[in-house]
Amino acid sequence: MPQINDKNKPRTGAYLNLFKQKYGLTVSKMCALFGISTQAKFNSIVRPAEGNSSEELLDPTVALILRLYETHESLVPLNNELSLEDTYKMFQRVFGKTKVSESTFGQLLGRSAGSGYRWLNGSGNATPQVGIVLERLRHMLASGMEEPEVCYLWLDIVHQEYRARNQVPPLSDIDAVKLLIQKYPLKYKHMAS
């Protein structure tokens, strides 16, 4: 097994797999971190048909990215999404604990009512699509938006999609646009009808 600190060896699929294991990353996260187009492509790099992953050299740019992450761990973007639990608590802080149940939480992220329960009780994982939502919510917060603003904007989007599908949206009694305009009048006055 190769060692990450082995600077004199060219980087191969085995090193990429070692990195994946070290950080406990999914294949989709690895593809995003290294710019690999598909999960099938990643798997072919890590486990080629001949079984010689330790011998097949990585694409030079992928090898350089890997060395960058190996030598500067602070650059590995591991925490680029909110956790499901942190997101749940944020929704509860903004909308109230009694309004945001585990089942409502699943629906707020575009999944079934049961998904929220499974996520928060450790018996299920979020889909890659939910991971994208969590990453975008974190990005909104990191860009300077306050929790209420992020939650109101997200709820408005959720309401739009549910209503377009002729379904009753979660937290349908909350007017997210009205709350946005009240709390951030200069920024969201354009949303007033």
Side-chain angles (χ1 to χ4, degrees):
M1 181 75 144
Q3 298 298 313
I4 285 181
N5 60 3
D6 194 350
K7 294 179 182 178
N8 297 321
K9 298 266 183 170
R11 294 304 184 248
T12 62
Y15 283 91
L16 205 58
N17 195 41
L18 185 64
F19 182 88
K20 177 184 177 295
Q21 291 171 1
K22 177 180 179 181
Y23 291 102
L25 300 171
T26 63
V27 173
S28 61
K29 180 70 84 176
M30 288 293 290
C31 289
L33 285 176
F34 290 92
I36 297 170
S37 57
T38 65
Q39 293 185 23
K41 175 71 174 165
F42 175 85
N43 288 329
S44 73
I45 292 168
V46 174
R47 294 183 296 274
E50 311 86 49
N52 294 335
S53 65
S54 62
E55 314 231 344
E56 292 214 14
L57 298 181
L58 291 175
D59 170 273
T61 306
V62 172
L64 291 171
I65 295 168
L66 179 57
R67 283 185 187 271
L68 178 68
Y69 290 152
E70 289 171 356
T71 56
H72 301 284
E73 285 189 340
S74 64
L75 297 178
V76 179
L78 296 176
N79 299 320
N80 59 354
E81 62 188 47
L82 289 174
S83 72
L84 287 162
E85 188 174 335
D86 288 343
T87 305
Y88 176 63
K89 288 177 180 175
M90 177 177 71
F91 285 145
Q92 285 191 323
R93 281 191 298 274
V94 172
F95 298 120
K97 286 186 178 184
T98 58
K99 288 205 175 267
V100 181
S101 64
E102 292 171 339
S103 60
T104 304
F105 180 57
Q107 294 172 315
L108 283 169
L109 296 179
R111 293 294 179 236
S112 69
S115 293
Y117 176 81
R118 286 189 299 276
W119 293 333
L120 296 168
N121 290 290
S123 60
N125 295 317
T127 63
Q129 294 83 9
V130 170
I132 291 170
V133 171
L134 299 175
E135 188 273 331
R136 291 292 85 197
L137 293 176
R138 184 179 198 288
H139 176 77
M140 292 165 77
L141 291 167
S143 73
M145 290 183 174
E146 297 174 343
E147 284 187 354
E149 184 178 11
V150 170
C151 291
Y152 298 158
L153 285 169
W154 182 251
L155 185 60
D156 180 46
I157 290 168
V158 170
H159 283 181
Q160 288 176 40
E161 185 58 27
Y162 271 80
R163 288 183 179 127
R165 292 173 182 245
N166 293 318
Q167 296 174 347
V168 176
L171 307 180
S172 60
D173 60 326
I174 296 174
D175 187 339
V177 173
K178 182 179 177 182
L179 291 171
L180 274 171
I181 294 168
Q182 284 175 349
K183 188 153 180 75
Y184 309 98
L186 296 176
K187 192 171 185 181
Y188 294 104
K189 64 183 174 188
H190 68 279
M191 295 177 85
S193 29

